[in-house]
Amino acid sequence: HDSGHDGGAMMSFLVDPLNRPYLITGDVCSHDQSEFLKGVMLPDKSFSGNFFDLSGLVMITEATNGAKPMTKTPEDVLADLGTILKEVEDRNGLALIAAFSKNRCSKMALACISLGYVPFVDGSGRTMMRIELGNETVYQLLGTGKLIFTDEGAEPRVAREQRKSLLNGELGFHPIVAPSGTLEGGYSVAWAKDILPGRDNAVIFPGYLFPDSTSRQIFEMERGHTVVLKMWNKIRRRLAPTPANVRCDVFHFDFTSHDYQGGLVERARLAKPETLIVHHCENAAFESFEAATHLAMPYPPRIERGSHLKVLKF
């Protein structure tokens, strides 16, 4: 069944030969992902049948946002993004939205459009938008001037000139949406090299800031310090360390495609597992989710911290 996380993400329902049920949520989200994907709490009975009536349920779930309650609605977060984009536009700056290619580029491009901006989408974000929104929708947005794609046509020179014109302000203000959100690779790194040093500019991270990622490092560092980006050298065919001074504004917005603590706890409460295995999270997120689950359920399940290759017996 769809898990609500992004296109193709699934939750799996298994029953073993001894009639013991297992629910594996994968990455999961109960709030909608913009206009193209509905959130999912649990499937209705027409799908699950008597699955939740079986005894001994083992539930395996993620808890990326296990320590984070939903403090703002998606509409509030969108409005906050609009405020920042307007400020950057008014001071003639550039705004880079470094987003994950799958799900997030589509989501952020649609967010910009809904705010009245024409986003400039680069890299594999273009391919994912065609897959997730459909070619007809994408061509309609391009044709009506609501969306710009980097022209990666027969001549690479065309794309280079287009990017240069945008950086020089010749095309006007267009939020730049480019992967990846970690700033470890993809076109977002090339854009960041030019945008990070500008005091009037802004780099925006709309997704999860992975520990030890370049994006987390940039978000947490003081302005004026230097970060080392991993730039792809086309001639040498390898990554080349490239220093960039971080003088621009840096923001993080929770356009998350993972459930917040409330959704994670509610799913466990509704499923009523005997054993709850929690993975894909930092220790603080696990501990907070564990405590919230104990408070929400009159008969809390056995809760285990899952990790790679860890063996659990039950």
Side-chain angles (χ1 to χ4, degrees), residues 9 35 66 76 79 106 113 120 133 148 162 164 171 196 199 248 280:
E35 303 171 13
D76 291 336
S106 296
I113 292 170
F120 182 99
L133 304 182
I148 301 174
Q162 191 180 21
K164 183 179 178 181
L171 302 181
L196 285 170
R199 296 184 185 276
C248 72
H280 199 293

Side-chain angles (χ1 to χ4, degrees), residues 19 41 52 67 87 90 109 113 130 151 177 187 194 206 227 242 254-255 268 310:
N19 220 34
M41 181 58 76
F52 290 106
E87 290 177 0
D90 288 346
I113 292 170
R130 292 188 178 101
D151 187 357
V177 180
Y187 276 95
D194 293 311
V227 66
T242 305
D254 250 340
F255 285 94
K310 180 179 180 179

Side-chain angles (χ1 to χ4, degrees), residues 5-34:
H5 171 66
D6 61 21
M10 298 183 297
M11 57 175 73
S12 302
F13 297 77
L14 311 174
V15 180
D16 72 11
L18 298 177
N19 220 34
R20 183 166 196 164
Y22 299 80
L23 166 57
I24 306 172
T25 69
D27 286 341
V28 67
C29 189
S30 58
H31 57 266
D32 295 347
Q33 302 303 304
S34 196

Side-chain angles (χ1 to χ4, degrees), residues 63 66-68 261-262 264-266 268 276 278 281-305:
K68 294 174 64 175
Q261 185 187 85
L264 293 168
V265 171
E266 179 64 7
L276 179 61
V278 186
C281 60
E282 298 178 35
N283 288 333
F286 168 75
E287 292 165 3
S288 183
F289 174 48
E290 180 184 36
T293 302
H294 277 294
L295 289 174
M297 300 177 68
Y299 301 101
R302 167 191 170 188
I303 301 179
E304 294 280 357
R305 176 77 157 103

Side-chain angles (χ1 to χ4, degrees), residues 5-6 97-108 124-125 128-129 132 177-185 188 204-210 213 215 252 255-258:
H5 171 66
D6 61 21
I97 302 176
F100 298 112
S101 182
K102 195 171 190 290
N103 175 277
R104 206 56 54 82
C105 281
S106 296
K107 189 172 184 177
M108 296 316 302
S124 60
M128 291 312 304
M129 286 190 71
E132 293 167 344
V177 180
S180 174
T182 60
L183 283 186
E184 298 288 342
S188 66
I204 296 166
F205 300 113
Y208 180 63
L209 295 172
F210 283 90
S213 65
S215 56
H252 176 251
F255 285 94
T256 183
S257 57
H258 296 266

Side-chain angles (χ1 to χ4, degrees), residues 8-213:
M10 298 183 297
M11 57 175 73
S12 302
F13 297 77
L14 311 174
V15 180
D16 72 11
L18 298 177
N19 220 34
R20 183 166 196 164
Y22 299 80
L23 166 57
I24 306 172
T25 69
D27 286 341
V28 67
C29 189
S30 58
H31 57 266
D32 295 347
Q33 302 303 304
S34 196
E35 303 171 13
F36 61 93
L37 191 67
K38 295 295 182 184
V40 176
M41 181 58 76
L42 286 173
D44 58 31
K45 204 169 181 64
S46 65
F47 176 88
S48 58
N50 71 337
F51 180 85
F52 290 106
D53 297 326
L54 300 174
S55 61
L57 174 64
V58 176
M59 180 176 176
I60 305 173
T61 190
E62 58 115 339
T64 302
N65 292 327
K68 294 174 64 175
M70 180 185 280
T71 57
K72 291 187 176 183
T73 66
E75 293 76 19
D76 291 336
V77 178
L78 179 64
D80 291 343
L81 172 65
T83 299
I84 296 304
L85 292 178
K86 184 65 167 63
E87 290 177 0
V88 177
E89 180 184 22
D90 288 346
R91 63 188 187 226
N92 296 316
L94 296 163
L96 168 65
I97 302 176
F100 298 112
S101 182
K102 195 171 190 290
N103 175 277
R104 206 56 54 82
C105 281
S106 296
K107 189 172 184 177
M108 296 316 302
L110 291 176
C112 291
I113 292 170
S114 70
L115 291 167
Y117 293 99
V118 178
F120 182 99
V121 181
D122 205 349
S124 60
R126 297 163 300 166
T127 302
M128 291 312 304
M129 286 190 71
R130 292 188 178 101
I131 293 171
E132 293 167 344
L133 304 182
N135 275 325
E136 184 177 346
T137 297
V138 169
Y139 288 137
Q140 183 182 27
L141 291 171
L142 291 169
T144 55
K146 294 181 178 179
L147 176 68
I148 301 174
F149 275 1
T150 306
D151 187 357
E152 294 279 18
E155 295 185 37
R157 175 186 58 81
V158 175
R160 288 198 299 269
E161 290 299 321
Q162 191 180 21
R163 294 186 182 105
K164 183 179 178 181
S165 297
L166 184 59
L167 282 171
N168 291 339
E170 298 170 15
L171 302 181
F173 180 76
H174 298 283
I176 302 160
V177 180
S180 174
T182 60
L183 283 186
E184 298 288 342
Y187 276 95
S188 66
V189 181
W191 284 107
K193 176 180 69 69
D194 293 311
I195 291 175
L196 285 170
R199 296 184 185 276
D200 293 331
N201 300 335
V203 170
I204 296 166
F205 300 113
Y208 180 63
L209 295 172
F210 283 90
D212 303 322
S213 65

Side-chain angles (χ1 to χ4, degrees), residues 213-285:
S213 65
T214 302
S215 56
R216 172 75 75 92
Q217 182 183 351
I218 289 172
F219 180 70
E220 293 179 346
M221 71 176 11
E222 293 183 24
R223 301 292 77 87
H225 287 203
T226 297
V227 66
V228 177
L229 302 174
K230 303 178 185 72
M231 297 285 297
W232 178 251
N233 188 306
K234 291 184 179 180
I235 297 175
R236 297 183 178 181
R237 305 292 297 172
R238 64 179 178 83
L239 293 173
T242 305
N245 198 258
V246 182
R247 293 193 182 95
C248 72
D249 288 336
V250 181
F251 300 96
H252 176 251
F253 290 100
D254 250 340
F255 285 94
T256 183
S257 57
H258 296 266
D259 251 326
Y260 291 96
Q261 185 187 85
L264 293 168
V265 171
E266 179 64 7
R267 186 174 293 103
R269 190 189 70 81
L270 292 172
K272 299 181 179 67
E274 181 179 284
T275 302
L276 179 61
I277 301 171
V278 186
H279 69 107
H280 199 293
C281 60
E282 298 178 35
N283 288 333

